[in-house]
Amino acid sequence: MQIYYVNGSFEHKSDALISVEDRGFNFSDGVYEVIGFKNKKLLNFNKHVDRLKRSLFNLQIKSPYKNFKSLELIITRLIEINKLCGGFIYLQITRGNAKRDHLFPVNVNPNVVIFAFPQKDLSGISKGVKVGISEDIRWMRCDVKSISLLPNLLEKQKAYEKGFFEIWQIRNKFITEGSTSNAFIIDKLGNIITHPKNNLILGGVTRDVVIEIAKLNGIKVFEKPFSLADIKKCNEAFLTSTTVGVIPVKQVNNIKINSKKKGEITSFLSEKYDNFLNLQINE
Ligand code: PMP
């Protein structure tokens, strides 16, 4: 995973350089995506591209690609050059290089950096994780996948130091999402509840797929905010993201989630989600 893609060329990590005037470096003025791949096949690629286009549009960053097929070819080539089979792609696009000035520069070309990283060992978390609770201190455009992640870092670090895997953030008494994942509960009737996709959360690709799978299998999904009181009453809870898939949540702060029962619906969704990814490998 030593070869990085930077603005049109494939370079060894030590030669993969970006200007000190990069707006991403100076202002976090950029967006990113994390995309899985398996057997060299990109997973949920079109969904990631749709979100990437939305993020670029919302920040008024010029798209480096007219046709995102060329992006797919670049990433596929990067996977080949690095001799990889599975893992994740990190893709970052910033507004470009310019003298440090808050106003958008004119006539700049975006900077594109792409690299691959491996799948972490999930064996320690696949049976369930503990999540903490924190105030959601982020801005009001969490739907944009911006590289400006300081609030997420601060909260995740705090959570980690307290022994939690993730943090569920609360805004106005309702859970929005995790610092790196979307949050779900399943109520006593077997209905899934998760925060609506609006400016207060990042619309996760995994979230969308899991919701689709649930609905196709007759599980009702309510996209509405839920509170700590709802968590206390819930049957199951789980979180989703590209890098971890569907992971059961067995404890939220000091609330133990139905610890005696196996999370049947979560297990079902996790299995169906894996199948959905595997189908793309054979396409
Ligand atoms: N919310 C936040 C804040 C995230 O950082 C992520 C991971 N990028 C997600 C949700 C999950 O999104 P996805 O399923 O697309 O990885």
Side-chain angles (χ1 to χ4, degrees):
M1 309 201 177
Q2 295 294 303
I3 307 297
Y4 281 45
Y5 173 89
V6 183
N7 290 334
S9 50
F10 295 95
E11 304 282 353
H12 188 272
K13 190 161 82 173
S14 51
D15 299 319
L17 303 176
I18 279 285
S19 163
V20 289
E21 288 197 324
D22 172 45
R23 299 263 309 183
F25 178 59
N26 284 318
F27 294 117
S28 301
D29 189 0
V31 301
Y32 76 107
E33 277 296 325
V34 173
I35 307 169
F37 64 98
K38 214 168 170 183
N39 285 6
K40 303 186 181 170
K41 251 330 214 329
L42 291 172
L43 304 172
N44 297 328
F45 184 69
N46 292 337
K47 292 181 196 301
H48 285 284
V49 164
D50 287 347
R51 184 171 64 188
L52 178 63
K53 285 183 188 165
R54 278 199 306 275
S55 296
L56 290 168
F57 175 79
N58 280 312
L59 298 191
Q60 298 173 50
I61 294 177
K62 192 166 81 186
S63 171
Y65 308 103
K66 280 206 181 75
N67 177 346
F68 279 75
K69 188 72 196 160
S70 46
L71 175 63
E72 189 175 2
L73 294 174
I74 292 167
I75 298 175
T76 309
R77 184 82 193 109
L78 185 76
I79 292 170
E80 266 169 30
I81 294 176
N82 279 291
K83 298 190 173 58
L84 301 172
C85 207
F88 299 96
I89 291 294
Y90 177 84
L91 155 72
Q92 173 170 310
I93 303 176
T94 67
R95 196 178 304 277
N97 303 336
K99 188 167 72 68
R100 192 180 179 284
D101 185 338
H102 285 60
L103 294 175
F104 293 171
V106 281
N107 292 331
V108 285
N109 288 320
N111 284 325
V112 181
V113 172
I114 311 173
F115 60 85
F117 64 97
Q119 170 81 65
K120 280 192 193 151
D121 177 15
L122 299 181
S123 55
I125 62 168
S126 56
K127 290 214 167 66
V129 293
K130 295 178 183 177
V131 307
I133 289 289
S134 77
E135 265 311 301
D136 196 336
I137 56 171
R138 300 172 302 163
W139 67 335
M140 300 305 279
R141 290 308 306 269
C142 301
D143 53 319
V144 176
K145 200 159 168 65
S146 143
I147 58 171
S148 179
L149 288 172
L150 259 187
N152 308 51
L153 310 191
L154 291 172
E155 294 308 320
K156 184 115 185 174
Q157 182 64 28
K158 258 199 282 179
Y160 172 77
E161 284 166 12
K162 287 185 196 153
F164 294 119
F165 171 75
E166 172 61 303
I167 208 89
W168 277 5
Q169 303 171 97
I170 294 197
R171 204 189 281 270
N172 297 331
K173 301 203 166 70
F174 291 104
I175 310 290
T176 50
E177 62 177 334
S179 65
T180 57
S181 58
N182 290 113
F184 300 76
I185 56 169
I186 300 173
D187 70 12
K188 290 264 179 283
L189 301 172
N191 303 318
I192 294 177
I193 305 173
T194 191
H195 196 283
K197 205 164 141 178
N198 58 19
N199 63 313
L200 299 183
I201 68 161
L202 180 78
V205 166
T206 323
R207 172 191 185 279
D208 287 353
V209 171
V210 165
I211 288 177
E212 231 173 274
I213 291 172
K215 287 181 179 169
L216 278 173
N217 286 280
I219 301 168
K220 284 203 183 113
V221 181
F222 294 96
E223 292 185 58
K224 60 173 193 184
F226 62 87
S227 65
L228 277 176
D230 295 319
I231 296 176
K232 278 187 190 137
K233 291 184 293 189
C234 80
N235 252 8
E236 297 177 38
F238 64 94
L239 57 84
T240 64
S241 83
T242 298
T243 49
V244 298
V246 180
I247 296 290
V249 169
K250 55 184 183 187
Q251 190 174 325
V252 180
N253 247 11
N254 53 4
I255 309 167
K256 292 213 166 46
I257 314 279
N258 210 0
S259 52
K260 287 185 201 90
K261 256 202 204 154
K262 190 171 156 235
E264 275 172 32
I265 298 177
T266 306
S267 306
F268 174 81
L269 292 171
S270 170
E271 197 186 310
K272 290 276 177 196
Y273 175 72
D274 288 344
N275 294 345
F276 178 82
L277 295 186
N278 286 332
L279 279 178
Q280 296 174 46
I281 299 169
N282 304 320
E283 263 172 12

